[in-house]
């Protein structure tokens, strides 16, 4: 790999929905490289190297493999010339739980093979991975896989299959067109805003001119969308059946038929797909306009599909040895007689097709033709990685470093820049240097001979003890050079450990073993420079211990890696957490001073941060872990650290209760993490708790609510007093109008940014640490962060407009918004409704931006206002129902009365801490009771569930969804098939075991994909009991039907150690006989 020129390299990832055949297709490519047997291709799934991957039949971790292929190309003179290409392939999982693996892989590649099952069509994850490829500017190739299902399962005729394929390509193109349209709309809006700014600036500079005009060249530039679509005639669509080992492009058949039909190959390629027909009389190609009522087959059906159908018919559907022999001779294939007589029809089919339409040749040729080499791809991809906010496709290089990056310069004096997109763990004993070498046949023979001689010597001693001197067997072995020492136990312990390697791609320069490099961590700020105090902890120097080419489960050691290649690097353990950018001024590495410190100033020009802080889908499923033996706790902590580093989507932390918790993307991801901890990272027995699922608490205006708790006051009003009435306050709770609540949920990202800006006045270092803590706690809460619907500067005007639209008491609330909660960035609002000048968050931000200091009205008032806000934050963070965060509640602070003399007396006596503590607690309790004065509700975390099922198991699917309190949102039939796509909503708390349950009920015919989609209110009061005559008649006095909301609430309270109101004896009138 080290010798590969950048021009001969292609970096490609396979992406697609789960079970669409990515790993099976990789098998065909590996078989062509003689890594596995061609007979085993499609069965062995070589890149699924984990045991659980083989058991479940799905990929869970992305695997890379470097393949070499010789492709015959024509020189300008027309002579054939073989050229060797290195294709770095990364196989990715299709399951939604492991979508972070797709994002880490796509950042390292230039092209993507998008696999789509011909029957299932475009699924949820297909759209997700296409979006990822679009964002990362990868060149996609559409592979329509499982083609054999059209013939063997659906039993379509060739003409029906053609219409089905055309529809499928149209669906994929519609997805790509959607991405293009949304990007163009954003571009258009941005262009209009910039144009208005230029007009305004021009009017100001030429005030005397009545009309200011914009230059002609400023006109909006339209972009051509032709390049983004998949079209078979352009060569970016492959029709394949990976399990049978065949695939083709239109060009293959155009080449075959061009000579027979006497048509130029290029012309035939353009008409072989689409509504073009061959006139049987004139032997000319005609379009659909010239059919004149004749029922002719399209060229694609006549020349391509009919032939494939004929082969399947003769071999599989209606086995006919004579026809098979005829086909073999017509196609000029070499199939042994023994194989032709084989009863294994699939093997014979695979043998025929692998010679006629080999999948590996087709895929590799497509990759070489469509995917650009790194030197061309990096001109398009690198600008977006360096400047995420740019919208132009390409950009001129600003300096030498950018020129090296854009041109993929691999010279020894070029700046070394490589991106480590993730860390992965490998057992130390499996590293190339640590592996036990397998003996050659010569060595085995010499060892056997030595052992025989040793035995003969020992027997001779026994027979003639007086003649020969006694000699132990070990000495005999040593004499003849057979060393049979066992390794020291310490060594064995070392071999049981895991080593962390970086999964990387080098963009410029050449990286060598032994060189000292700089690791630029994701939070490094390039603008501040390497010697700035804020950057000090985000740049570390390390030595490259070893470099590897990845070959699936194997690693091959190399001395150096040139620009444009994918590789694994050892030496980052303890320095890089998950991702980093590796930088060095040249191949020799960074200069190191006598005291061992790296020369940061000398490397300033080559430092760049391409890693960035990437946020994947919020992990939603929490599991608390503890070791079976308490003494193993240090091993568990070390194991959790290793797991967190090697899996980009898992979060590990310790709760305030002392529990060690892991957050995972879903049930399957959680199972894999726990298995890894037990078997690889901690190597101890672990007890895992029931999955902990987050809830939210809110309140609504119910139909039959009890009278308000505070008489002669509005509902939700709570009075509070502290320390013999030194402090008195009145707070009123009210549910937010739905429009405002939804607006805040949609723009949580803006609230979060505002919260970070609010801390900008504090000391920089402290602020950075707090930001990091905020990031963690925010993720831990499992919030569903959407892309904001508006711009940050439009937030307050839009919020004010929403309040005015709500009317009533909300009309003039915008200026009185004091704080958001929980954690100052949720969808609960604290409103200052006192008669005096209100605490306005909007004004505070305005003063902050203007650089003014915020003036408090009064020191004592200001202190207690801060404590009141703290009480509000605590209450909204842990609600009254089960200690979960609140949503959609507004709190009006109507009055706060201070006894100043009494407070000053307390301050003089140094009893302020008691006063402030009890005030915060009183406010918290008042806020919680205010919510309970309305009709409280729980909000459940929800999954959107997509299930593909045939008509015969549809009823069973509905049954499983209904049993788990889900609801069907939509169902549609895939045209031309008997498959339905069912979309449903399912509570996360009910989803555990759902996938297994649905597979069991449908005998494996349906498998769900669960994607977290936010929170939904469960419209049931947890405290509701039957009271009216109808309810009592329907449910009985005991309310036999369980209150689901109360069951959820009690389950969470019990887990948190809160009081649970539960009857010990359910039915006291029934006789109970105590067991002896």
């Amino acid at each position: 790999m080290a010798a590969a020129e950048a021009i001969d390299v292609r970096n490609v990832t396979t992406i697609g929905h789960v079970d669409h055949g990515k790993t099976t297709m990789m098998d065909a490519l590996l078989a062509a490289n003689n890594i596995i047997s061609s007979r085993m291709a499609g069965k062995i799934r070589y890149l699924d190297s984990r045991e659980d991957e083989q058991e479940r039949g799905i990929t869970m971790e992305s695997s890379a493999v470097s393949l070499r292929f010789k492709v015959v190309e024509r020189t300008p003179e027309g002579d054939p010339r073989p050229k060797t290409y290195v294709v770095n392939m990364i196989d990715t999982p299709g399951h939604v739980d492991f979508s972070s693996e797709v994002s880490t892989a796509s950042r390292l590649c230039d092209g993507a093979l998008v696999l789509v099952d011909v029957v299932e069509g475009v699924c949820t994850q297909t759209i997700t991975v296409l979006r990822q490829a679009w964002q990362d500017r990868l060149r996609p190739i559409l592979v329509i896989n499982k083609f054999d299902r059209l013939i063997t399962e659906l039993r379509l005729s060739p003409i029906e299959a053609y219409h089905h394929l055309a529809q499928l390509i149209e669906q994929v193109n519609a997805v790509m067109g959607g991405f293009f349209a949304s990007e163009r709309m954003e571009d258009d809006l941005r262009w209009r805003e910039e144009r208005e700014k230029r007009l305004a600036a021009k009017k100001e500079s030429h005030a005397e001119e009545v009309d200011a005009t914009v230059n002609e060249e400023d006109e909006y530039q339209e972009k051509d969308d032709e390049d983004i679509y998949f079209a078979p005639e352009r060569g970016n669509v492959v029709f394949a059946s990976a399990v049978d080992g065949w695939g083709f492009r239109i060009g293959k058949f155009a080449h075959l038929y061009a000579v027979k039909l006497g048509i130029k190959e290029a012309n035939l390629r353009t008409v072989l797909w689409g509504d073009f027909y061959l006139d049987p009389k004139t032997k000319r190609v005609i379009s659909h306009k010239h059919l004149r009522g004749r029922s002719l087959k399209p060229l694609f059906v006549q020349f391509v599909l009919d032939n494939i159908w004929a082969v399947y018919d003769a071999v599989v559907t209606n086995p006919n040895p004579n026809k098979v022999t005829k086909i073999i001779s017509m196609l000029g294939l070499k199939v042994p007689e023994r194989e032709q007589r084989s009863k294994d029809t699939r093997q014979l089919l695979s043998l025929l097709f692998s010679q006629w339409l080999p999948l590996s040749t087709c895929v590799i040729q497509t990759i070489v033709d469509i995917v650009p080499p790194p030197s061309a791809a990096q001109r398009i991809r690198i600008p977006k990685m360096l400047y995420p906010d740019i919208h132009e496709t390409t950009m001129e290089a600003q300096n030498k470093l950018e020129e090296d990056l854009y041109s993929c310069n691999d010279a020894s004096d070029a700046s070394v820049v490589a991106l480590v997109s993730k860390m992965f763990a490998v057992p130390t004993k499996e590293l190339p240097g640590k592996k036990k070498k397998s003996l050659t046949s010569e060595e085995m023979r010499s060892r056997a001979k030595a052992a025989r001689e040793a035995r003969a010597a020992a027997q001779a001693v026994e027979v003639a003890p007086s003649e020969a001197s006694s000699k132990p067997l070990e000495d005999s072995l040593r004499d003849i050079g057979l060393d049979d020492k066992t390794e020291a136990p310490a060594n064995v312990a070392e071999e049981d450990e895991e080593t962390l390697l970086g999964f990387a791609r080098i963009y410029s320069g050449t990286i060598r073993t032994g060189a000292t490099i700089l690791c630029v961590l994701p939070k490094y700020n390039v603008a501040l420079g390497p010697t700035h105090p804020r950057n000090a902890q985000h740049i570390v120097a390390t030595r490259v211990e070893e470099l590897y080419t990845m070959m699936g489960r194997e690693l091959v050691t190399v001395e150096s890696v040139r620009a444009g290649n994918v590789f694994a690097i050892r030496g980052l353990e303890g320095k890089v957490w998950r991702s980093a950018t590796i930088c060095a001024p040249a191949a020799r590495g960074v200069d190191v001073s006598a005291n061992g410190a790296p020369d940061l100033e000398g490397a300033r020009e080559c430092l760049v941060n391409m890693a960035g802080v990437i946020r994947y889908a919020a992990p939603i499923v929490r599991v608390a872990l503890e070791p079976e033996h308490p003494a193993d706790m240090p091993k568990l902590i070390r194991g959790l650290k290793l797991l967190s580093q090697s899996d980009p989507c898992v979060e590990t932390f310790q709760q305030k209760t002392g529990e060690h918790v892991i957050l995972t993307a879903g049930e399957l991801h959680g199972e894999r993490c726990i298995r890894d901890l037990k078997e690889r990272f901690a190597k101890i027995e672990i007890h895992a708790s029931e999955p902990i699922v987050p809830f939210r608490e809110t309140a609504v205006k119910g139909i039959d609510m009890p009278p308000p708790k505070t008489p002669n006051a509005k509902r939700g009003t709570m009075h509070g007093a502290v320390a013999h009435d030194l402090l008195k306050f009145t707070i009123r709770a009210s549910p937010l109008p739905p429009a405002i609540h939804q607006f805040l949920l949609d723009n949580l990202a803006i609230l979060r940014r505002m919260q970070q800006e609010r801390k900008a006045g504090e000391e920089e270092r402290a602020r950075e640490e707090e930001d990091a803590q905020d990031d963690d706690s925010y993720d831990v809460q499992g919030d569903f962060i959407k892309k904001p619907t508006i711009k940050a500067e439009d937030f307050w005007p839009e919020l004010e407009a929403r309040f005015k639209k709500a009317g009533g008491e909300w009309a003039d609330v915008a200026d009185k918004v004091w704080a958001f909660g929980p954690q100052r960035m949720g969808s609960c609002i604290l409103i200052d409704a006192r008669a005096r000048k209100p605490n306005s968050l909007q004004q505070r931000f305005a003063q902050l931006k203007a650089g003014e200091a915020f003036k408090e009205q009064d020191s004592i008032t200001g202190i207690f206002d801060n404590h009141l806000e703290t009480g509000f934050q605590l209450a909204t963070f842990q609600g009254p129902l089960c200690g979960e965060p609140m949503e959609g509640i507004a709190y009006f602070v109507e009055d706060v009365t201070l006894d100043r003399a009494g407070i000053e007396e307390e301050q003089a006596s140094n009893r302020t801490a008691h006063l402030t503590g009890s005030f915060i607690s009183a406010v918290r309790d008042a806020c919680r009771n205010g919510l309970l004065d309305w009709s409280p509700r729980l909000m459940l975390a929800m999954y959107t569930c997509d299930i593909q099922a045939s008509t015969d198991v549809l009823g069973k699917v509905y049954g499983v969804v209904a049993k788990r309190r889900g609801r069907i949102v939509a169902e549609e039939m895939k045209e031309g098939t008997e498959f339905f796509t069912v979309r449903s909503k399912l509570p996360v708390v009910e989803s555990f075991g759902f996938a297994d349950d649905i597979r069991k009920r449908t005998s494996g015919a349906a498998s769900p994909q669960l994607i977290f989609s936010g929170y939904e209110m469960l419209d049931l009061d947890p405290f509701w009991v039957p009271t009216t005559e109808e309810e009592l008649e329907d449910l009985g006095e005991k309310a036999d039907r369980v209150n689901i909301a109360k069951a959820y609430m009690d389950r969470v309270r019990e887990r948190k150690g809160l009081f649970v109101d539960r009857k010990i004896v359910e039915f006291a009138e029934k006789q109970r006989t105590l067991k002896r």
Side-chain angles (χ1 to χ4, degrees):
M1 174 173 154
E5 292 285 343
I7 196 74
D8 299 337
V9 176
R10 299 290 186 274
N11 296 305
V12 183
T13 177
T14 55
I15 56 177
H17 193 75
V18 67
D19 283 338
H20 279 202
K22 297 177 290 298
T23 309
T24 309
M25 194 188 69
M26 290 297 296
D27 271 7
L29 301 181
L30 291 163
N33 235 239
N34 297 323
I35 293 171
I36 60 172
S37 149
S38 55
R39 265 182 182 272
M40 295 305 293
K43 301 180 186 76
I44 193 172
R45 298 199 318 281
Y46 180 81
L47 291 182
D48 285 352
S49 51
R50 293 169 58 98
E51 193 182 327
D52 45 359
E53 287 180 327
Q54 288 289 345
E55 282 170 11
R56 291 178 180 271
I58 62 168
T59 306
M60 296 186 189
E61 282 184 355
S62 48
S63 313
V65 63
S66 291
L67 306 173
R68 286 177 180 270
F69 291 96
K70 275 193 177 178
V71 178
V72 177
E73 294 183 346
R74 295 203 174 273
T75 59
E77 293 78 37
D79 302 321
R81 180 191 63 185
K83 188 172 182 183
T84 303
Y85 283 93
V86 171
V87 180
N88 296 315
M89 303 284 299
I90 302 178
D91 181 35
T92 63
H95 196 284
V96 67
D97 280 12
F98 310 110
S99 52
S100 59
E101 294 278 348
V102 179
S103 9
T104 54
S106 71
R107 300 183 85 205
L108 304 182
C109 294
D110 304 321
L113 292 172
V114 184
L115 276 89
V116 178
D117 185 324
V118 73
V119 176
E120 292 184 8
V122 177
C123 299
T124 46
Q125 205 60 14
T126 313
I127 298 170
T128 307
V129 296
L130 276 169
R131 184 180 289 110
Q132 185 71 51
W134 176 267
Q135 287 168 353
D136 287 333
R137 297 186 173 183
L138 304 187
R139 187 66 64 84
I141 296 165
L142 178 63
V143 180
I144 296 175
N145 195 22
K146 304 197 180 183
F147 205 96
D148 54 297
R149 291 183 71 185
L150 294 178
I151 308 166
T152 56
E153 272 185 45
L154 300 185
R155 299 189 181 278
L156 299 183
S157 66
I159 190 78
E160 288 171 336
Y162 166 68
H163 291 305
H164 183 87
L165 291 167
Q167 210 167 27
L168 177 57
I169 293 172
E170 208 171 290
Q171 282 175 4
V172 182
N173 283 338
V175 174
M176 297 300 288
F179 299 153
F180 179 79
S182 62
E183 195 175 89
R184 297 308 292 141
M185 285 163 79
E186 284 178 17
D187 283 355
D188 184 39
L189 179 67
R190 199 178 309 107
W191 177 80
R192 285 176 194 282
E193 285 175 356
E194 286 173 5
R195 183 171 176 271
E196 281 166 13
K197 281 179 190 171
R198 286 200 301 270
L199 276 168
K202 198 161 187 182
K203 275 186 178 175
E204 282 175 21
S205 59
H206 303 89
E208 69 280 357
E209 291 182 22
V210 180
D211 292 313
T213 56
V214 181
N215 297 332
E216 291 298 319
E217 62 268 20
D218 286 344
E219 284 301 312
Y220 180 58
Q221 298 294 316
E222 284 295 343
K223 277 187 189 170
D224 185 16
D225 64 345
E226 192 183 323
D227 289 345
I228 69 166
Y229 295 121
F230 298 107
E233 64 270 19
R234 291 179 53 211
N236 60 1
V237 178
V238 174
F239 302 95
S241 170
V243 76
D244 288 336
W246 62 267
F248 67 89
R249 288 191 295 168
I250 292 289
K252 170 78 175 174
F253 283 91
H255 179 69
L256 289 173
Y257 284 105
V259 181
K260 284 186 181 179
L261 295 172
I263 303 173
K264 282 185 183 174
E265 190 180 323
N267 294 348
L268 186 55
R269 194 183 289 121
T270 57
V271 295
L272 206 48
W273 176 265
D275 293 334
F276 296 99
Y277 309 84
L278 186 69
D279 191 324
K281 290 178 183 175
T282 61
K283 299 292 181 192
R284 291 170 69 87
V285 175
I286 57 171
S287 68
H288 64 95
K289 293 176 186 174
H290 301 95
L291 277 177
R292 299 192 186 91
R294 289 177 293 177
S295 59
L296 299 179
K297 290 179 182 176
L299 288 177
F300 186 72
V301 175
Q302 190 177 347
F303 292 152
V304 181
L305 297 187
D306 278 352
N307 291 324
I308 291 169
W309 256 249
V311 176
Y312 268 90
D313 181 63
V315 179
V316 179
T317 320
N318 304 305
N320 187 330
N322 297 332
K323 268 191 182 178
V324 172
T325 312
K326 195 176 175 185
I327 288 168
I328 289 169
S329 62
M330 280 176 67
L331 295 173
L333 309 178
K334 293 176 183 174
V335 180
E337 281 287 328
R338 184 171 54 84
E339 294 289 356
Q340 289 182 38
R341 291 195 298 272
S342 168
K343 297 288 182 192
D344 186 355
T345 53
R346 279 323 258 209
Q347 176 58 27
L348 175 57
L349 189 77
S350 178
L351 208 62
L352 281 173
F353 272 118
S354 61
Q355 290 187 38
W356 180 35
L357 303 170
L359 176 62
S360 55
T361 310
C362 171
V363 169
I364 293 304
Q365 193 61 58
T366 312
I367 288 171
V368 169
D369 293 348
I370 303 295
V371 178
S375 51
Q378 288 181 196
R379 288 201 176 275
I380 301 165
R381 294 191 63 236
I382 295 287
K384 185 76 174 170
M385 293 172 83
L386 294 179
Y387 310 101
D389 297 330
I390 69 150
H391 304 285
E392 289 76 28
T393 313
T394 55
M395 196 174 164
E396 287 301 315
Q398 311 283 326
N399 48 41
K400 180 185 177 294
L401 172 65
E402 287 186 17
E403 186 51 54
D404 287 345
L405 284 168
Y406 294 175
S407 61
C408 191
N409 186 358
D410 61 1
S412 57
D413 61 339
S415 303
V416 175
V417 176
L419 171 64
V420 178
S421 74
K422 70 165 188 170
M423 302 292 283
F424 66 103
V426 174
T428 307
K429 62 184 179 187
E430 287 186 16
L431 292 173
K434 306 279 183 182
K435 273 190 178 178
K436 290 178 181 175
K437 290 180 181 176
S438 54
L439 299 173
T440 63
S441 54
E442 192 61 42
E443 285 172 335
M444 287 165 79
R445 277 197 293 273
S446 66
R447 289 191 80 164
K449 186 181 176 184
R452 278 198 303 274
E453 287 177 8
R455 274 199 300 275
Q459 283 168 2
V461 169
E462 286 172 17
V463 173
S466 56
E467 293 173 15
S469 60
S470 172
K471 202 175 189 183
L473 177 64
E474 290 81 2
D475 292 352
S476 306
L477 291 172
R478 201 180 302 114
D479 287 349
I480 52 179
L482 188 69
D483 191 11
D484 195 26
K485 286 182 183 173
T486 53
E487 289 182 358
N491 235 7
V492 175
E494 183 197 314
E495 286 193 353
D496 280 349
E497 290 183 0
E498 299 277 332
T499 300
L500 284 169
L501 305 179
F503 193 86
R505 151 96 181 257
I506 180 163
Y507 287 103
S508 78
T510 301
I511 190 166
R512 300 187 198 283
T513 307
T516 302
I517 51 167
L518 293 173
C519 299
V520 176
L521 304 181
K523 286 192 175 181
Y524 178 85
N525 188 341
V526 179
L528 298 177
T531 51
H532 194 279
R534 273 192 67 182
N535 275 341
Q537 59 185 353
H538 300 311
I539 182 165
V540 286
T542 186
R543 186 178 156 277
V544 180
E545 290 178 18
E546 272 184 319
L547 297 168
Y548 307 102
T549 298
M550 289 173 281
M551 300 298 290
R553 50 188 99 174
E554 304 290 329
L555 293 166
V556 180
T557 311
V558 289
E559 280 304 308
S560 64
V561 181
R562 286 185 178 182
N565 284 296
V566 173
F567 65 101
I569 177 171
R570 183 176 170 210
L572 307 181
E573 193 167 351
K575 307 284 176 71
V576 173
W577 183 246
R578 280 180 178 168
S579 63
T581 313
I582 292 173
C583 300
R588 68 177 186 282
V590 182
D591 296 328
V592 180
S593 62
N595 61 358
D599 178 15
L600 295 178
E601 272 305 321
R604 178 189 281 269
E605 294 303 317
C606 74
L607 294 179
V608 62
N609 184 3
M610 294 164 82
V613 180
I614 314 167
R615 294 220 168 270
Y616 303 108
I620 189 70
V621 178
R622 279 186 271 183
V623 179
L625 305 174
E626 62 176 8
E628 193 169 296
H629 306 293
D632 289 335
M633 184 57 86
K635 289 183 181 176
L636 176 65
I637 293 167
R638 185 179 175 279
L640 284 170
K641 188 180 175 186
L642 272 170
L643 173 71
S644 183
Q645 275 189 274
S646 63
D647 189 331
C649 197
V650 76
E651 295 282 342
T652 61
F653 65 98
Q654 190 172 6
Q655 285 188 322
K656 290 172 185 172
T657 55
E659 286 179 304
H660 289 277
V661 172
I662 59 169
L663 273 94
T664 60
E667 187 185 7
L668 183 62
H669 186 216
E671 283 176 22
R672 189 195 81 179
C673 291
I674 292 167
R675 184 169 179 162
D676 276 354
L677 276 172
K678 285 180 180 176
E679 296 176 5
R680 293 177 62 192
F681 301 136
K683 288 193 170 64
I684 55 169
E685 282 304 309
I686 292 170
H687 284 310
S689 72
E690 287 294 309
I692 305 165
V693 177
F695 289 84
R696 293 288 181 268
E697 300 181 16
T698 188
V700 295
K701 187 178 180 181
I703 301 166
D704 298 320
M705 291 190 289
K709 291 182 181 177
T710 308
N712 306 320
K714 285 184 177 180
R715 183 175 290 281
T717 304
M718 292 291 142
H719 299 304
V722 177
H724 309 294
D725 292 349
L726 287 180
L727 276 165
K728 289 193 284 187
F729 61 89
T730 305
I731 290 179
R732 178 166 60 85
S734 178
L736 274 173
I740 297 167
H741 181 202
Q742 192 56 47
F743 172 75
L744 292 175
L745 287 178
D746 288 343
N747 295 287
L748 278 178
I750 293 177
L751 291 176
R752 185 183 192 187
R753 205 175 309 145
M754 283 161 53
Q755 164 62 6
Q756 287 170 348
E757 284 174 10
R758 186 178 176 180
K759 294 181 178 179
E762 297 176 19
E763 194 181 336
E764 286 190 341
R765 187 65 172 268
R767 184 192 73 207
E768 185 178 89
E769 288 168 9
E770 285 180 13
D771 278 354
Q773 288 168 5
D774 268 2
D775 284 358
D776 290 346
S777 54
Y778 196 69
D779 278 348
V780 167
Q781 285 312 308
D783 279 317
F784 185 55
I785 307 169
K786 301 177 186 174
K787 191 177 178 184
T789 54
I790 55 162
K791 291 184 176 174
E793 57 267 23
D794 298 336
F795 177 78
W796 290 108
E798 184 64 28
L799 185 64
E800 196 169 341
R802 300 277 172 126
F803 276 128
K804 280 181 178 167
K805 194 176 178 183
E809 64 176 342
W810 305 100
D812 58 345
V813 157
D815 284 336
K816 298 177 183 175
V817 172
W818 182 349
F820 294 98
Q823 294 189 323
R824 295 191 172 89
M825 46 192 175
S827 60
C828 293
I829 303 180
L830 183 64
I831 296 162
D832 193 349
R834 291 175 285 183
R836 65 183 193 114
K837 186 185 175 187
N839 273 316
S840 172
L841 189 63
Q842 185 178 357
Q843 287 175 16
R844 206 178 307 171
F845 277 121
Q847 288 176 349
L848 198 67
K849 282 188 177 174
E852 301 170 18
F854 186 71
K855 294 171 186 172
E856 295 286 357
Q857 292 177 340
D858 177 6
S859 61
I860 292 181
T861 310
I863 289 166
F864 283 101
D865 278 359
N866 286 342
H867 294 323
L868 191 144
E869 189 188 332
T870 305
F872 159 77
Q873 296 293 352
L874 288 171
T876 52
F877 187 61
Q878 293 186 324
L881 298 181
C882 50
E884 293 286 314
M886 292 186 197
E887 262 194 19
I889 304 288
Y891 287 98
F892 294 83
V893 179
E894 296 187 335
D895 184 44
V896 177
T897 311
L898 307 175
D899 179 353
R900 290 176 181 276
I903 290 170
E904 282 166 6
E905 192 178 312
E906 291 286 316
Q907 284 176 337
S909 308
N910 208 8
R911 289 203 298 268
T912 323
H914 165 69
L915 182 64
T916 54
S918 51
F919 177 56
I920 291 169
S921 301
V923 172
R924 183 192 63 196
D925 295 342
C927 290
R928 287 177 174 177
N929 291 329
L931 180 138
L932 294 174
D933 209 8
W934 294 86
S935 186
R937 295 284 186 274
L938 275 180
M939 296 185 82
L940 309 182
M942 298 297 282
Y943 275 138
T944 299
C945 171
D946 282 311
I947 308 165
Q948 286 225 337
S950 55
T951 45
D952 51 339
V953 296
L954 204 58
K956 291 173 183 173
V957 168
Y958 279 28
V960 176
V961 172
K963 179 186 165 190
R964 291 176 175 268
R965 305 199 174 98
R967 68 174 199 279
I968 305 297
V969 178
E971 61 163 15
E972 58 176 274
M973 192 174 189
K974 291 255 177 207
E975 208 172 314
T977 72
E978 56 171 22
F979 284 90
F980 276 85
T981 300
V982 179
R983 174 162 285 197
S984 60
K985 284 281 183 97
L986 188 77
V988 174
V989 70
E990 297 285 353
S991 71
F992 302 104
F994 176 68
D996 288 341
D997 198 2
I998 217 158
R999 278 195 206 100
K1000 281 175 193 167
R1001 294 292 181 88
T1002 61
S1003 306
S1007 58
Q1009 281 277 84
L1010 300 168
I1011 301 167
F1012 180 55
S1013 65
Y1015 293 86
E1016 231 175 66
M1017 190 172 72
L1018 175 63
D1019 201 8
L1020 189 64
D1021 189 336
F1023 303 112
W1024 179 84
V1025 286
T1027 48
T1028 64
E1029 280 184 28
E1030 287 110 12
E1031 288 168 354
L1032 287 167
E1033 194 177 320
D1034 185 27
L1035 298 167
E1037 286 181 27
K1038 310 291 179 303
D1040 298 331
R1041 223 176 291 165
V1042 178
N1043 182 337
I1044 302 160
K1046 187 174 190 308
Y1048 287 151
M1049 181 181 82
D1050 286 350
R1051 205 186 300 172
V1052 177
R1053 290 184 72 89
E1054 201 169 352
R1055 173 170 57 78
K1056 292 186 175 181
L1058 303 171
F1059 171 72
V1060 179
D1061 179 21
R1062 185 179 287 141
K1063 286 183 184 175
I1064 304 301
V1065 178
E1066 284 286 336
F1067 306 116
E1069 68 272 18
K1070 288 190 178 179
Q1071 184 180 341
R1072 291 280 187 279
T1073 309
L1074 294 174
K1075 287 182 181 175
R1076 290 185 182 180

